[in-house]
Amino acid sequence: MEASKVIHAIYNDDDVLMNAVKQVKAAKYHIDEVYTPFPVHGLDKAMGLAPTRLAICAFMYGCVGLTVATLMMNFIMIEDWPQDIGGKPSFSYLENMPAFVPIMFELTVFFAAHLMVITFYLRSKMWPFKNAENPDPRTTDDHFLMEISVTGNQNELESLLGQTGAVEINIVDKAH
């Protein structure tokens, strides 16, 4: 296993962290990860992360749910076991569609929501029973941590992070 050094710069305010990320990126350093106790609006853009494509997945999953609902209701209510419920004709899906709209909506939302959660967990590599990768437990409470790989001048990077308002700077050996 190969070990490399990373710097953990800890901040106690999200606005200070946001300015620090902008300064570190302006100085041409690559930020490996930022750990925060809550979502910080605009942090992904400041870090230069690519926009997420999860919304596209949500749309596709919703289309799958709508298709499953339509095929299921057509098979169950029209082909397999047609019933006269409330005087509605049971020989055509299109004539019954107004009664089927709530089911189509619910299955669209159901498929989109559940498959999105599964996709998010798989994409984030958050398997069941996986150990947490959080480097400092304070980041789940009230601190923010910026992790940067040490590739060049360590003293220069530490000095920059100190100027950005870091309350604590640690050098850590990180195993790959």
Side-chain angles (χ1 to χ4, degrees), residues 10-23 40 144 146 161-167:
I10 298 176
Y11 298 87
N12 57 10
D13 184 70
D14 57 332
D15 292 328
V16 175
L17 171 76
M18 184 66 80
N19 290 330
V21 166
K22 290 175 184 174
Q23 290 176 31
V40 177
F144 305 83
M146 185 188 322
L161 292 171
Q163 293 170 7
T164 63
V167 294

Side-chain angles (χ1 to χ4, degrees), residues 86-147:
K88 295 184 183 119
S90 59
F91 55 84
S92 168
Y93 180 83
L94 289 176
E95 290 182 19
N96 286 306
M97 193 146 94
F100 293 157
V101 167
I103 299 167
M104 294 181 339
F105 172 77
E106 290 298 331
L107 278 181
T108 299
V109 172
F110 179 86
F111 271 69
H114 286 79
L115 292 175
M116 278 298 296
V117 168
I118 292 168
T119 301
F120 174 76
Y121 282 138
L122 291 175
R123 179 69 182 92
S124 301
K125 298 178 181 151
M126 296 173 68
W127 322 116
F129 311 109
K130 180 182 180 199
N131 292 331
E133 294 178 5
N134 193 355
D136 192 323
R138 294 178 291 176
T139 60
T140 62
D141 187 22
D142 62 349
H143 283 72
F144 305 83
L145 185 142
M146 185 188 322
E147 184 176 274

